[in-house]
């Protein structure tokens, strides 16, 4: 029986110490076992025993909770900061790919947009999509589709700068913010990335998978009034790449004045 529960029983029964409580409970159990109690009293004692076990389990949970709270209070400020940083990272990271998730990426997009408006800092945006991804899932299965997504994410990490912001935008779609990069440099990087993805060969239980990606590129502009305008232009370039046959890079071209 839980230690705290024994203490409570000793107080309400006005017993001398915990040994008296233990002895009294043992005597009641022994009396029940010898048949010295009427059937009704025996059932009452058994019910009391079951009730005490449930209460004891509750006390056990309470003690564990108190122990955890005490441990949390003992954490140093460095440990607390480390735990908070881990939680913050988890809240910003896509679970499957370990890239930034869409929410954090949009915050960084806003930052890049405001930096451009404030100081004229260059930046380019890439939106990319795995071509015919539904067919990959249908033919090879969703676990294989997850492998494809993870290999694309790995390629982005391996071939991006530390300052680039790579994210899984949703499903089979990815996005990258390239700071200090104009459209020609962004298009060249995108073409290099497209070729690296095209060269991948993923081995699965159902066979080898070869696949391609389409990429849309848009450089930020003073014509954009909101970061969503920038994103829409990159999306338009992506759809143009798909209309042109996929497995290619297309750059947004602002309409002529």
């Amino acid at each position: 029986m839980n230690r705290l529960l024994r203490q409570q029983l000793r107080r309400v029964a006005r017993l001398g110490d915990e040994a008296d409580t233990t002895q009294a409970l043992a005597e009641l159990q022994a009396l029940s076992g010898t048949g010295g109690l009427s059937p009704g009293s025996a059932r009452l004692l058994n019910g009391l025993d079951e009730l005490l076990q449930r209460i004891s389990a509750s006390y056990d949970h309470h003690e564990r909770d108190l122990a955890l709270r005490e441990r949390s209070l003992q954490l140093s400020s460095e440990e607390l900061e480390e735990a908070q940083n881990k939680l913050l990272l988890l809240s910003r990271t896509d679970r499957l790919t370990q890239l930034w998730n869409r929410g954090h990426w949009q915050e960084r997009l806003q930052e890049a947009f405001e930096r451009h408006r404030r100081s004229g800092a260059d930046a380019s945006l890439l939106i990319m999509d795995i071509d015919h991804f539904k067919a990959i899932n249908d033919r090879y299965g969703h676990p294989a589709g997850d492998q494809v997504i993870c290999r694309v994410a790995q390629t982005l990490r391996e071939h991006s700068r530390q300052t680039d912001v790579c994210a899984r935008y949703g499903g089979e779609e990815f996005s990258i913010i390239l700071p200090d990069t104009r459209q020609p440099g962004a298009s060249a990087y995108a073409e290099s990335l497209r070729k690296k993805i095209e060269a991948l060969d993923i081995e699965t239980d159902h066979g080898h998978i070869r696949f391609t990606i389409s990429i849309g590129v848009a450089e930020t502009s003073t014509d954009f009034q909101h970061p969503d305008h920038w994103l829409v232009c990159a999306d338009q370039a992506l759809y143009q790449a798909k209309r042109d046959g996929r497995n290619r890079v297309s750059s947004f071209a602002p309409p002529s004045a």
Side-chain angles (χ1 to χ4, degrees), residues 92-211:
R92 294 175 169 179
T93 305
D94 175 68
R95 181 174 298 182
L96 177 64
T97 64
Q98 303 306 305
L99 295 177
W100 297 120
N101 60 27
R102 180 171 177 171
H104 177 66
W105 181 86
Q106 287 180 315
E107 292 176 5
R108 301 293 295 274
L109 182 71
Q110 178 77 35
E111 292 174 3
F113 178 78
E114 291 176 354
R115 192 181 307 115
H116 174 75
R117 298 198 71 177
R118 184 173 59 250
S119 64
D122 297 321
S124 289
L125 173 60
L126 273 61
I127 299 291
M128 63 189 68
D129 188 87
I130 300 173
D131 296 327
H132 303 297
F133 185 71
K134 183 179 182 302
I136 294 174
N137 275 335
D138 291 344
R139 179 176 179 182
Y140 299 97
H142 288 275
D146 286 347
Q147 283 184 255
V148 168
I149 288 174
C150 288
R151 284 296 296 276
V152 172
Q154 179 183 346
T155 304
L156 295 187
R157 281 193 296 270
E158 291 174 349
H159 300 286
S160 298
R161 302 168 300 180
Q162 189 172 2
T163 54
D164 297 338
V165 185
C166 302
R168 183 184 181 193
Y169 193 72
E172 71 276 16
E173 199 169 22
F174 298 82
S175 48
I176 307 177
I177 302 168
L178 301 176
D180 305 314
T181 307
R182 300 292 302 274
Q183 183 270 327
S187 295
Y189 166 77
E191 178 62 19
S192 172
L193 193 61
R194 184 197 66 78
K195 291 179 179 179
K196 292 180 187 303
I197 296 295
E198 186 179 27
L200 293 176
D201 186 348
I202 300 178
E203 184 178 357
T204 73
D205 293 338
H206 301 285
H208 290 257
I209 302 178
R210 302 291 298 271
F211 63 97

Side-chain angles (χ1 to χ4, degrees), residues 46-80:
N46 289 334
L48 177 61
D49 182 59
E50 182 179 347
L51 179 60
L52 289 175
Q53 289 181 19
R54 292 181 182 179
I55 296 174
S56 180
S58 177
Y59 269 87
D60 284 337
H61 180 79
H62 180 62
E63 278 193 316
R64 287 194 297 269
D65 187 53
L66 287 176
L68 287 173
R69 289 175 183 270
E70 183 179 357
R71 170 59 183 153
S72 67
L73 292 174
Q74 293 172 349
L75 289 175
S76 66
S77 59
E78 292 82 4
E79 288 174 317
L80 283 173

